[in-house]
Amino acid sequence: MTLILASQSASRRAMLDAAGVAYTAQPAWVDEDGVKAAMVGQLPRDIADALAELKAIKVSQAHPAALVLGSDSLVALADGTLLDKPVSREDAADHLRAMAGGTHDLWSAAVIAEAGRPVWRHVERARLVVRALSEDFIGSYLDAEWPAIAGCVGCFRIEGPGVQLFSKIDGSHFTVLGMPLLPVLDYLRVRGELAS
């Protein structure tokens, strides 16, 4: 059976590549902003799960014989505000200022669909403890990382200079990268897609 990753995320592709998983990638092109607007007031974990499911189902409807993996990540600030992908360098600076000195939740969800319906799902949380960030640090960080982080919720690539934002992280490294990889691999083994 074919595995399709319903994403254009470089980090999700890199995780599957590094794990030796055979797949093809096809972006789902869903209206993430519309879903988030419709789910205002819902728990961040439920929003991440709904977005992952929507991506998986959309691609699965076009490829019913494949297993389709959808995934989504959200950063929820300590006050409950959800961070989106920054739309500009100044927006990214505002996100970093809002995160500085606080403990926030990163939710990563994965849903696998088959024949247009979800057959498996998993949601994980990582706690991000962001150190105090000076304006000088924010400026130099964005000089180095913008616009590469434009597509990153939370304005960081943990596998690069973004690791400098944190004093502590509780949770799976893969969840922070954007997908709860170990449970995904477990399900693929259950389905016989990977050797057990």
Side-chain angles (χ1 to χ4, degrees), residues 40-127:
V40 167
Q42 300 293 314
L43 295 174
R45 73 163 315 284
D46 295 338
I47 298 171
D49 183 55
L51 286 166
E53 180 178 299
L54 182 62
K55 293 172 186 178
I57 288 174
K58 183 172 182 186
V59 174
S60 180
Q61 288 171 339
H63 303 278
L67 290 178
V68 179
L69 170 60
S71 192
D72 196 79
S73 295
L74 294 174
V75 172
L77 299 182
D79 67 3
T81 302
L82 296 182
L83 288 185
D84 231 327
K85 295 170 185 166
V87 296
S88 67
R89 181 185 164 119
E90 188 51 43
D91 191 35
D94 289 343
H95 287 198
L96 293 169
R97 289 182 195 109
M99 292 172 63
T103 300
H104 315 291
D105 291 332
L106 184 150
W107 293 95
S108 286
V111 173
I112 294 179
E114 185 177 12
R117 63 180 184 83
V119 295
W120 177 89
R121 69 182 65 242
H122 186 82
V123 183
E124 283 187 2
R125 177 181 73 173
R127 303 296 312 270

